[in-house]
Amino acid sequence: MEYTQVPGGVCAAKGFSAAGVYCGIRKNHTKSDLALIQAEVRCAAAGVFTTNKVCGAPVKVDRAHLADGYAQAIIINSGNANTCAANGVALANECCGLVAEALHLSAEDVLPASTGVIGQPMTIEPFARGIPAAAKALNSTCAGSTAAAEAIMTTDTQKKEYAVEFVLGGKRCTLGAIGKGSGMIAPNMATMLEFYTTDVAITPALLHEALAAVVPDTYNQLSVDLDTSTNDTLILMASGLAGNPPITEENEDYHVFLAALLHIAAHMCALHASDGEGASHLITCEVAHAPDKKIARAVAKSVVCSNLFKAAVFGRDANWGRILCAIGYTPGDFSIDHVCVRLASAAGEVYVCENAAYHPYSEDEAATVLAEHDILVKVDMGAGESAAKAWGCDLTYDYVKINGDYRT
Amino acid sequence: MEYTQVPGGVCAAKGFSAAGVYCGIRKNHTKSDLALIQAEVRCAAAGVFTTNKVCGAPVKVDRAHLADGYAQAIIINSGNANTCAANGVALANECCGLVAEALHLSAEDVLPASTGVIGQPMTIEPFARGIPAAAKALNSTCAGSTAAAEAIMTTDTQKKEYAVEFVLGGKRCTLGAIGKGSGMIAPNMATMLEFYTTDVAITPALLHEALAAVVPDTYNQLSVDLDTSTNDTLILMASGLAGNPPITEENEDYHVFLAALLHIAAHMCALHASDGEGASHLITCEVAHAPDKKIARAVAKSVVCSNLFKAAVFGRDANWGRILCAIGYTPGDFSIDHVCVRLASAAGEVYVCENAAYHPYSEDEAATVLAEHDILVKVDMGAGESAAKAWGCDLTYDYVKINGDYRT
């Protein structure tokens, strides 16, 4: 499969425009806090959400509004999570009503999302000001996507946008995304907020199926700090304007779309981990030759989740014993006797552990490998044919600083 | 039940002596690295060990030597974990042989334990020098216990010793402990190394049963960083020299002993958490009115394990939303609707969350509460009669520093 990276993020696919404005939810005027994404047509839509029993009011509204498999707009604020507030659901519904009014569509086709502090009071006023302004600012070029990507950022240091073109059913199709989230990520449904748009024609049922198929190998394998947010949301809208023969069954076109979705989701996961709160390294763990897929995923996740190994990467210390330790406490019935570990980066590769024991290597060489930003941990379990990846980042002083000072 | 705290740690109970010496495993001469604990008589003995699939060679030897329910000496080194080394088990057995020779007892009655870096080469030479020296230095007073407690420390900043007297079967009995471990703690069998001695007369089977009963509510509820060590070990030896009628069934005396064991284990857990790597706060979470014991334990553990909440405590930020979030992602089928949360310390108590929503409180008052070293998080689930505790610590710059630099 070939993917051509294209600009435009969430506006790259045909039929979508977006905007980002400042509406006053944040005290700081210099950072926008309200994003709007609109589709020209009613779209097939699917979502996956937090598994936290404490869940944001917008998540509850999204689940209801997605029940029919369609949506046409997404309204997102940063600065307040709209979670644990008595009036939360009413407020989220009111926001949908304001969007419906501004864009002349049904309130049931609007999906709200919020990110920020939990349990803070929230009022409709900023939305009443901001939604009409965002509707006026809607823009179908790169600028629209970028404005939206910036408006949803909280502790992110980089906006997260990505889009690719690919051929499906003889047509050039596009799939793009924006996302936010660099902390409170994992263990399941990592991203706080993630919005995908595509012009592929596909039924709501298959759109949901594709999304559900991709998440276990991507977002559920992403961790910054093991904390699952109350507001995790991934929404995927398909306008169908690419002109491909609509996908109505699990045919070849479906698998082309699935592969594109997996490609973009893996890329977004790396963006999130790389921008993990305070991170100075992206840590990717690739597990090969695992006895089954579940164990492969769990082992990869264990490695990128180990605070001790994360701190070692921050210190550029090839402390492979901590990798082995993290593999060893992974739940599941498997042997560690044939586990081999290599550390790799653009600067080279060092073979540090063979059959669960020390493999001679140069500490200087290892330090050179670990001086790079992107670190790859290659785990060969020598016990089967399954593979998986996980994405994480190092644990740094800045993580502690960011999360010790968040509200002040 | 009344407990009188007494000095002497692992030497407080009748029949035990201990020593700590420098034998050259550590490069730094200023810190002792070998501890020896000896009983006058062959003791009923029980142990619980790491659940990590990667486990230290001494753990394998301990399991074998405890199979008959008896032991008479413990030999412990710091500075090298004797884990993932090809000659590990042979070396641990050789150490037992050296102790047996020095103390004129059976090698099968010697229990080895090691803590330090994983995967480093290790030789018998330091032990060959150190074990006869430690045998000569054995001392049944407080000084012996303290020397042993110091020799087993790694990143600990404080030695961990505790002992109590209590009346059982009409006799004054004593139960004491030393322990080490401030990182790589949790999720199961938290402590790296923990040694208990008592003079209570009890069968090996009931000693093991009592230990197994106490661990789920204490050591398994202790977390510094979610990393389960490869060498976690808790060994309990009972000399029987107190003169109590031997405990051979689950009678009243057994429950008196069980209660004493629970008391001392909870105290040791607080010592460990309080000295967590880089910690500036002890965080204790008490869960009340949970639907069942399993949920009570899991919720308490979730709270003390949340990196986000741990960082908030470091920042003295009463960010109760993170507590609620951690409760919400705890596995299990329960409702969060009636969850109430209070933060307490010697400086007072603030009621921050009522029925899963904001409860008005003064941020100044909360900051005063959180300025104390010992912080108590009181969670009322309003849904049953079960309760549990968990112990943890805050996440600080120093945690990252210690674990980024550990081997350098």
Side-chain angles (χ1 to χ4, degrees):
Chain A
M1 216 23 223
E2 270 194 26
Y3 305 103
T4 312
Q5 190 179 340
V6 293
V10 83
C11 294
K14 289 186 193 75
F16 294 94
S17 54
V21 299
Y22 174 76
C23 74
I25 297 165
R26 290 172 171 281
K27 284 171 197 154
N28 182 353
H29 283 250
T30 61
K31 163 76 179 71
S32 53
D33 54 12
L34 188 70
L36 181 62
I37 302 171
Q38 182 204 21
E40 279 175 29
V41 295
R42 209 164 168 249
C43 292
V48 284
F49 301 96
T50 182
T51 55
N52 197 313
K53 281 176 272 285
V54 179
C55 91
V59 170
K60 296 175 190 171
V61 174
D62 290 338
R63 288 196 173 115
H65 287 191
L66 279 171
D68 66 356
Y70 290 91
Q72 194 165 354
I74 309 174
I75 181 78
I76 315 130
N77 74 276
S78 58
N80 190 318
N82 189 13
T83 301
C84 300
N87 66 334
V89 169
L91 195 125
N93 275 319
E94 223 175 318
C95 287
C96 294
L98 289 167
V99 173
E101 199 179 317
L103 302 180
H104 309 291
L105 43 86
S106 159
E108 280 70 40
D109 285 336
V110 181
L111 304 174
S114 299
T115 175
V117 185
I118 296 170
Q120 298 294 298
M122 202 173 185
T123 66
I124 196 69
E125 281 71 32
F127 295 97
R129 276 195 302 275
I131 287 172
K136 258 186 216 162
L138 281 171
N139 182 325
S140 64
T141 69
C142 300
S145 176
T146 298
E150 284 170 354
I152 64 177
M153 289 165 66
T154 54
T155 55
D156 306 66
T157 65
Q158 292 162 11
K159 65 178 165 59
K160 294 169 185 71
E161 276 187 293
Y162 187 58
V164 293
E165 276 186 8
F166 52 98
V167 176
L168 182 155
K171 296 287 177 183
R172 288 206 76 75
C173 296
T174 305
L175 176 63
I178 62 171
K180 67 77 50 186
S182 53
M184 208 186 251
I185 281 188
N188 272 297
M189 241 316 280
T191 319
M192 288 201 71
L193 300 179
E194 201 84 349
F195 307 101
Y196 284 40
T197 55
T198 184
D199 41 27
V200 167
I202 182 168
T203 64
L206 287 169
L207 193 70
H208 185 84
E209 187 180 312
L211 190 58
V214 161
V215 165
D217 278 317
T218 53
Y219 290 96
N220 287 357
Q221 291 293 102
L222 166 61
S223 172
V224 168
D225 53 16
L226 285 163
D227 275 278
T228 303
S229 151
T230 56
N231 288 48
D232 290 337
T233 295
L234 192 168
I235 291 168
L236 167 56
M237 293 170 81
S239 70
L241 298 176
N244 64 297
I247 303 173
T248 57
E249 55 177 353
E250 285 187 43
N251 55 13
E252 197 189 317
D253 287 355
Y254 172 79
H255 287 284
V256 169
F257 178 68
L258 191 64
L261 197 57
L262 187 64
H263 169 83
I264 204 167
H267 185 89
M268 292 297 285
C269 283
L271 287 184
H272 282 283
S274 191
D275 193 27
E277 285 176 350
S280 60
H281 292 279
L282 165 66
I283 305 173
T284 306
C285 181
E286 284 182 0
V287 171
H289 299 119
D292 64 45
K293 186 79 178 171
K294 198 173 161 194
I295 289 171
R297 284 178 185 147
V299 165
K301 185 94 175 265
S302 249
V303 171
V304 303
C305 286
S306 160
N307 271 355
L308 278 170
F309 177 59
K310 285 152 63 85
V313 172
F314 172 62
R316 299 182 184 181
D317 178 6
N319 198 327
W320 62 272
R322 292 181 182 172
I323 300 172
L324 209 62
C325 177
I327 296 170
Y329 61 65
T330 308
D333 181 22
F334 61 88
S335 160
I336 54 102
D337 296 348
H338 299 295
V339 168
C340 298
V341 180
R342 290 168 173 83
L343 297 172
S345 74
E349 182 173 304
V350 279
Y351 186 6
V352 293
C353 171
E354 182 181 17
N355 294 330
Y358 173 69
H359 180 273
Y361 65 92
S362 145
E363 292 281 0
D364 287 349
E365 235 178 280
T368 308
V369 166
L370 294 177
E372 295 291 315
H373 183 273
D374 293 0
I375 306 298
L376 180 61
V377 181
K378 294 162 87 169
V379 176
D380 190 315
M381 298 186 69
E385 290 308 316
S386 291
K389 273 191 194 184
W391 297 265
C393 60
D394 56 339
L395 177 62
T396 69
Y397 298 143
D398 283 346
Y399 176 85
V400 178
K401 182 164 171 49
I402 290 163
N403 288 299
D405 292 348
Y406 187 62
R407 298 196 313 170
T408 53
Chain B
M1 214 27 221
E2 270 195 25
Y3 304 104
T4 312
Q5 190 180 339
V6 293
V10 82
C11 294
K14 289 186 192 76
F16 295 93
S17 54
V21 299
Y22 174 75
C23 74
I25 298 166
R26 292 172 170 281
K27 284 172 197 154
N28 181 353
H29 283 251
T30 61
K31 163 74 178 73
S32 54
D33 53 13
L34 188 70
L36 181 62
I37 302 171
Q38 182 204 22
E40 280 176 28
V41 295
R42 209 164 167 249
C43 291
V48 285
F49 301 96
T50 181
T51 55
N52 198 311
K53 281 175 272 285
V54 179
C55 90
V59 170
K60 297 176 189 170
V61 174
D62 289 338
R63 288 195 174 115
H65 287 190
L66 279 172
D68 66 356
Y70 290 90
Q72 194 164 355
I74 308 173
I75 180 78
I76 315 130
N77 74 276
S78 57
N80 189 317
N82 189 13
T83 301
C84 300
N87 66 335
V89 170
L91 194 126
N93 275 319
E94 223 174 318
C95 286
C96 294
L98 289 167
V99 172
E101 200 178 316
L103 302 180
H104 309 291
L105 43 86
S106 159
E108 280 70 41
D109 286 336
V110 181
L111 304 174
S114 298
T115 175
V117 186
I118 296 170
Q120 298 295 297
M122 202 174 185
T123 65
I124 196 70
E125 281 71 33
F127 294 97
R129 276 193 304 274
I131 287 171
K136 259 186 215 163
L138 281 171
N139 183 325
S140 65
T141 69
C142 300
S145 176
T146 297
E150 285 171 352
I152 64 177
M153 288 165 68
T154 54
T155 55
D156 306 66
T157 65
Q158 292 162 11
K159 65 178 165 59
K160 295 168 184 71
E161 276 188 293
Y162 187 59
V164 292
E165 277 187 7
F166 52 98
V167 176
L168 182 156
K171 296 287 177 183
R172 289 206 76 75
C173 295
T174 304
L175 175 64
I178 61 170
K180 67 78 49 186
S182 52
M184 208 186 251
I185 281 188
N188 272 298
M189 239 319 279
T191 320
M192 287 201 71
L193 300 178
E194 201 84 349
F195 307 100
Y196 283 42
T197 56
T198 184
D199 42 26
V200 167
I202 182 168
T203 64
L206 287 170
L207 194 68
H208 185 84
E209 186 179 314
L211 190 57
V214 161
V215 165
D217 278 317
T218 53
Y219 289 96
N220 287 356
Q221 291 292 101
L222 166 62
S223 172
V224 168
D225 53 16
L226 285 163
D227 275 279
T228 304
S229 151
T230 56
N231 288 48
D232 290 337
T233 295
L234 192 169
I235 291 167
L236 168 55
M237 292 170 81
S239 70
L241 299 176
N244 64 298
I247 303 173
T248 57
E249 55 176 354
E250 285 187 43
N251 55 14
E252 197 189 317
D253 287 355
Y254 172 79
H255 288 284
V256 169
F257 178 68
L258 190 64
L261 198 57
L262 186 65
H263 169 83
I264 205 167
H267 185 90
M268 291 298 284
C269 283
L271 287 184
H272 282 283
S274 191
D275 193 27
E277 285 176 349
S280 60
H281 292 279
L282 165 65
I283 305 173
T284 306
C285 180
E286 285 183 359
V287 171
H289 299 119
D292 64 45
K293 186 79 178 171
K294 199 173 158 193
I295 289 172
R297 284 177 185 148
V299 165
K301 185 95 175 265
S302 251
V303 171
V304 302
C305 286
S306 161
N307 271 356
L308 279 170
F309 177 59
K310 284 152 63 86
V313 171
F314 172 61
R316 299 182 184 181
D317 177 6
N319 198 328
W320 62 271
R322 293 182 180 171
I323 300 172
L324 209 62
C325 177
I327 296 170
Y329 61 65
T330 308
D333 181 22
F334 61 87
S335 160
I336 53 101
D337 295 349
H338 299 296
V339 168
C340 297
V341 180
R342 290 168 173 84
L343 297 172
S345 74
E349 181 172 306
V350 278
Y351 186 6
V352 294
C353 171
E354 183 180 18
N355 294 331
Y358 173 70
H359 180 274
Y361 66 92
S362 144
E363 292 281 0
D364 287 350
E365 235 178 281
T368 308
V369 167
L370 294 177
E372 295 290 314
H373 182 273
D374 293 0
I375 306 298
L376 180 62
V377 182
K378 294 162 88 170
V379 175
D380 190 315
M381 298 186 69
E385 290 309 315
S386 291
K389 273 191 194 185
W391 297 266
C393 61
D394 56 338
L395 177 62
T396 69
Y397 298 143
D398 283 347
Y399 176 84
V400 178
K401 181 164 172 50
I402 290 164
N403 287 299
D405 292 349
Y406 186 61
R407 298 196 314 168
T408 53

